[in-house]
Amino acid sequence: GQSLEQPSEVTAVEGAIVQINCTYQTSGFYGLSWYQQHDGGAPTFLSYNALDGLEETGRFSSFLSRSDSYGYLLLQELQMKDSASYFCAVADSWGKLQFGAGTQVVVTP
Amino acid sequence: NAGVTQTPKFQVLKTGQSMTLQCAQDMNHNSMYWYRQDPGMGLRLIYYSASEGTTDKGEVPNGYNVSRLNKREFSLRLESAAPSQTSVYFCASRLQGLETQYFGPGTRLLVL
């Protein structure tokens, strides 16, 4: 089977940097995705890593180490609108996603 | 370009009733997915369709059936609803070869 672990909640102030770690145990690993979900909303795609290393997209970056079965999402220059749940998800070759339970990020003034 | 649309937005059922959740996408995507999300949890895959004419089970398929009506539409049917199926249901689509899944706004289902 597959499992993903990520922290349940992280709190930080505006302007700070937050790192959300994700460890996974899986077979058929193809890549690691990150999605953001605001309360009551649909998940939206943030980032994807298929190879080891860092992917940067604006204020958000994502990292993957396949040998360590580990990845993280880095949120820089936190803004109030970044308060949301963030999910890591393992993708297989069919595009099927196995999601972690999510990390609630709370940004305070 | 509406993206992924889902109907209805909300539904209340009694145990044993049946219903079909509708999903459509206008992005010419090959693959479509149905997920459920329970409070405080991540999404779990119910069924997926890699391409028109094919469907396959995901992680939690019991109690559900699906139909890939055409390339645009992918419906999810509950034949005999149970309280354990109270959840938020999300449909998603993906263009083959790309990793981004685009999600619909969700259907909030309450089974009494």
Side-chain angles (χ1 to χ4, degrees), chain A residues 35 37 40 42 48 94-96, chain B residues 33 37 48 94 101 104 108:
Chain A
Y35 283 79
Q37 185 180 35
Y48 175 77
W94 293 100
K96 294 185 294 177
Chain B
Y33 309 83
Q37 185 177 30
Y48 72 103
R94 180 182 75 103
Q101 288 194 20
R108 282 147 185 82

Side-chain angles (χ1 to χ4, degrees), chain B residues 33-70:
Chain B
Y33 309 83
W34 275 107
Y35 296 90
R36 61 176 287 175
Q37 185 177 30
D38 300 315
M41 295 180 66
L43 288 78
R44 291 183 292 169
L45 183 65
I46 305 171
Y47 270 93
Y48 72 103
S49 172
S51 61
E52 187 179 354
T54 68
T55 62
D56 210 342
K57 296 177 180 178
E59 185 185 352
V60 289
N62 290 346
Y64 305 95
N65 284 299
V66 290
S67 295
R68 183 75 183 267
L69 304 169
N70 47 54

Side-chain angles (χ1 to χ4, degrees), chain B:
Chain B
N1 192 334
V4 180
T5 57
Q6 293 183 235
T7 55
K9 288 186 170 52
F10 303 95
Q11 185 71 48
V12 179
L13 292 178
K14 294 181 180 177
T15 296
Q17 287 185 316
S18 62
M19 79 162 294
T20 300
L21 283 66
Q22 306 287 353
C23 173
Q25 52 90 12
D26 62 1
M27 297 176 283
N28 203 33
H29 286 175
N30 314 87
S31 303
M32 298 185 73
Y33 309 83
W34 275 107
Y35 296 90
R36 61 176 287 175
Q37 185 177 30
D38 300 315
M41 295 180 66
L43 288 78
R44 291 183 292 169
L45 183 65
I46 305 171
Y47 270 93
Y48 72 103
S49 172
S51 61
E52 187 179 354
T54 68
T55 62
D56 210 342
K57 296 177 180 178
E59 185 185 352
V60 289
N62 290 346
Y64 305 95
N65 284 299
V66 290
S67 295
R68 183 75 183 267
L69 304 169
N70 47 54
K71 193 171 187 179
R72 289 187 64 248
E73 298 172 289
F74 189 38
S75 62
L76 178 72
R77 183 160 178 83
L78 287 70
E79 291 291 351
S80 178
S84 60
Q85 294 178 304
T86 292
S87 191
V88 181
Y89 291 84
F90 288 100
C91 176
S93 71
R94 180 182 75 103
L95 186 64
Q96 199 166 17
L98 298 180
E99 302 312 321
T100 306
Q101 288 194 20
Y102 295 85
F103 284 81
T107 293
R108 282 147 185 82
L109 176 66
L110 174 62
V111 183
L112 302 173

Side-chain angles (χ1 to χ4, degrees), chain A residues 31-66:
Chain A
L32 189 69
S33 294
W34 290 91
Y35 283 79
Q36 179 192 60
Q37 185 180 35
H38 286 98
D39 272 352
T44 56
F45 174 82
L46 291 176
S47 189
Y48 175 77
N49 296 71
L51 303 174
D52 286 0
L54 191 68
E55 293 282 342
E56 297 181 83
T57 311
R59 294 186 296 113
F60 295 172
S61 302
S62 59
F63 172 83
L64 176 66
S65 169
R66 295 173 70 110

Side-chain angles (χ1 to χ4, degrees), chain A residues 28-33 48 89-98, chain B residues 99:
Chain A
F29 178 88
Y30 203 71
L32 189 69
S33 294
Y48 175 77
V90 167
D92 70 7
S93 59
W94 293 100
K96 294 185 294 177
L97 294 175
Q98 174 99 14
Chain B
E99 302 312 321

